[in-house]
Amino acid sequence: MLDQRDILDAMQVAVPRMANRIASFTNKAAAYYCAATHAATHPEYAWFEGLNVAKNRVFGGYDLYLGNQLLDNQLAAATVYPHKLVRQHGPALCEELWLFDDRNLLEIDLDGATQPIGLQLKGVRLLRQQEDIAFFAAREGEFMLAVAPRQPVALRRQGERIIATSTGFFIACGKDEAEATALLHEGQQHSAALKLTRQQRLREYLQTNAYLAASDEPLTLALRWLAITTDQLVTRQQGDGIYAGLPWFNEYWGRDEFIAFSGAVLVTGQFATARRMLESFSKFQQTDPTSKYYGRMPNIVNPSGIDYHTTDGTPRFVLALRDYVQYSGDGELVQQLYPVVQASIEGALQNWGDDKGYLLHEDNETWMDARDANHVAYTPRGSRANDIQALWYQQLQAGAYFAAYVHDAASQAKWTQLAEQVRHHFGQDYRQPTHDYLADRLTQQGNPDFTLRPNQLFALDLVADPAFTRQVLRRTWQELVYPWGVATLAQHDPQFHPYHRAPELYHKDASYHRGTIWPWLNGIAMQRMLEAGQVETAYQLFANANHQALTLGVVGGLSENLDAYPHPGQTWPQLTGAYLQAWSNAEQLRVWYQYFLGIRPDMPNQQLTLAPRLPAAIRQLDYRFALGASSVLAQYLRGTPHVHSYTFQGIATQVLVDIFPFDPITVAVQPGNLLKLTATAQQLTVEVFAESRLLSIASATPSPARLARQAQDDEALAGVAFAQPLPLSSHTIMNAAN
């Protein structure tokens, strides 16, 4: 039975006192609030407790008082909703924390108070008080904080604490007293409307763009929360963009933003936002033709400056533009941004190409970018990392796609030939008969480095050898993919670090890419398993990440990292890094939509591929997805037979139906049509209806060729298992540290 409560109420997560999780909210502009549900004790996150605006920690949380009695959050019952944090202090007192959309304005409610209540902001100094407003200097940044009661009544002061006979307080942050005061007055006059606006935005998002309801309630709850916490990071701090992560990456990273792009805004149909992101970020491209970074997209964009030290951010931008066009059908943006694409490719060829067509880069210019105090890369991957070559190959292909669109035949031919050159050499240079996996990089001397890392999963499309790719997939899964995520280095390597944060042993950056788990890598690992037909194996990892979002760390989201190993006596590793990371969330959502649901549009060519690969645990689904300016309502019922139904609202397209083990079938649908797919073990039936009238019917029987290929995949991957921790004494790093 699907939950019939209000969708926001149905998403409430009660946090046990011992769990003490982070509740995080943004105002969708340039501010976020970080709250520990019970106590700000985390060794890294406690520093960011409270309101943060445009990379400034404005104040460090607050204490509430009833009379002279401090309300102890550690004794409260905490519940987190998509739009607010609630703490129940005993049977009578209910505290609510709200951060309003588009405003640096908080409301702290305390209903049930029978005495005056007090508020004390942490980490700031009271400057002055007038009758009903108190002003504080912000902890960081040139901001003014102002505090007033919910009702305009007089304040009194007790040290740094302000007291009022009221049901709560507003806290505003402005550039000066006048701006902060105006925000307070808006809160006092329009609190109910501001709350309603925030709730309605979230409800509409969950009931349209991100609508999903499953018979599996944890799946429904996890995917709704992942949609919400991902959307929190879609902000307007410096134009439209995606925060890389919270609490310390509240800025735009070229690499992170465009890895997260599809899962954050495309699969949920936020095409207008996606377009603004591409337009906004394109303005940060390096356009100085004398610079060695000519044509590059930035590594980091934040209020203090721009940095170009990344190679993969640029191809990721071009691929994001390609994906946006395929989802939206917006060819106009191709015309507008084609010069950006040209500069991105020609700048790379001018400054970073070699004689084989590979894209060169420095040791720390891949996503594995950590360096020590002397700026030496902990994980040197120069000068030709395998994932960089895969991205470069795709960038050239996407460039040729755009060149054809704008009728630039010369560039189309040139870039197509270069892409083929890269593919040809890659198959020769990154393989050796003595290894059943790809080299992670070619060194500056051109020698292959066979350190076993997960990056090769991005490069499998460059290898036209199915038997070898099966070997790679088995080897990487069993040595790098743990039940909790994908590690950055195989555990047999002498440089393997079992723990990310072990300050008594080594600096955390030393382990950042040498063992530490990165959940964003789950996306490509699951994708490759699904492409090989191993649905249940991929779904185990997917379900485990959903469980993390619901029960561990920040409520509703995925962390940047985890330790590779649980600590002794524990069954799950500690979450580390940023508590909420955009690409961790977004890759979970991307794989759900594109590979489990199998939704892969190509709107410029008026084609939609539907290739669902759903596990046995999912019995029923209702969901919605966007295509161009319209949407599709979909249902799935698992049984005998399995039935997929798609109702097309306002769009005509060709649909390529790809359900294993049948040969694909292409059918045409018109606005208002119902597409019904009925699959038994022996037959696939594809029907198109206009209302209740059957317009067309097609069928297929199992394909011997597909069955044979799947048998090969199944044999090669039979019994594939997650990596498991070894004894700590097995690891050189731990022995050396001890």
Side-chain angles (χ1 to χ4, degrees), residues 50-62:
L51 184 65
N52 297 260
V53 179
K55 298 290 291 182
N56 294 283
R57 297 175 302 124
V58 175
F59 71 91
Y62 61 88

Side-chain angles (χ1 to χ4, degrees), residues 514-589:
R514 297 195 289 183
T516 295
I517 300 291
W518 288 74
W520 84 273
L521 295 169
N522 295 1
I524 189 63
M526 291 186 289
Q527 176 184 326
R528 295 308 189 195
M529 270 295 175
L530 287 163
E531 289 170 341
Q534 309 304 304
V535 176
E536 301 301 331
T537 300
Y539 193 70
Q540 288 179 54
L541 184 58
F542 185 80
N544 289 349
N546 286 344
H547 179 74
Q548 176 188 320
L550 292 180
T551 62
L552 300 171
V554 67
V555 174
L558 298 175
S559 59
E560 179 189 12
N561 306 115
L562 295 87
D563 288 337
Y565 287 5
H567 281 266
Q570 299 179 354
T571 59
W572 201 262
Q574 292 183 8
L575 279 56
T576 63
Y579 61 68
L580 177 62
Q581 190 80 354
W583 58 10
S584 300
N585 271 25
E587 277 293 275
Q588 185 84 346
L589 292 171

Side-chain angles (χ1 to χ4, degrees), residues 86-103:
V86 176
R87 295 188 183 102
Q88 188 71 37
H89 300 277
L93 289 174
C94 182
E95 171 195 352
E96 291 190 359
L97 165 67
W98 294 73
L99 174 61
F100 294 120
D101 284 356
D102 303 312
R103 294 159 179 81

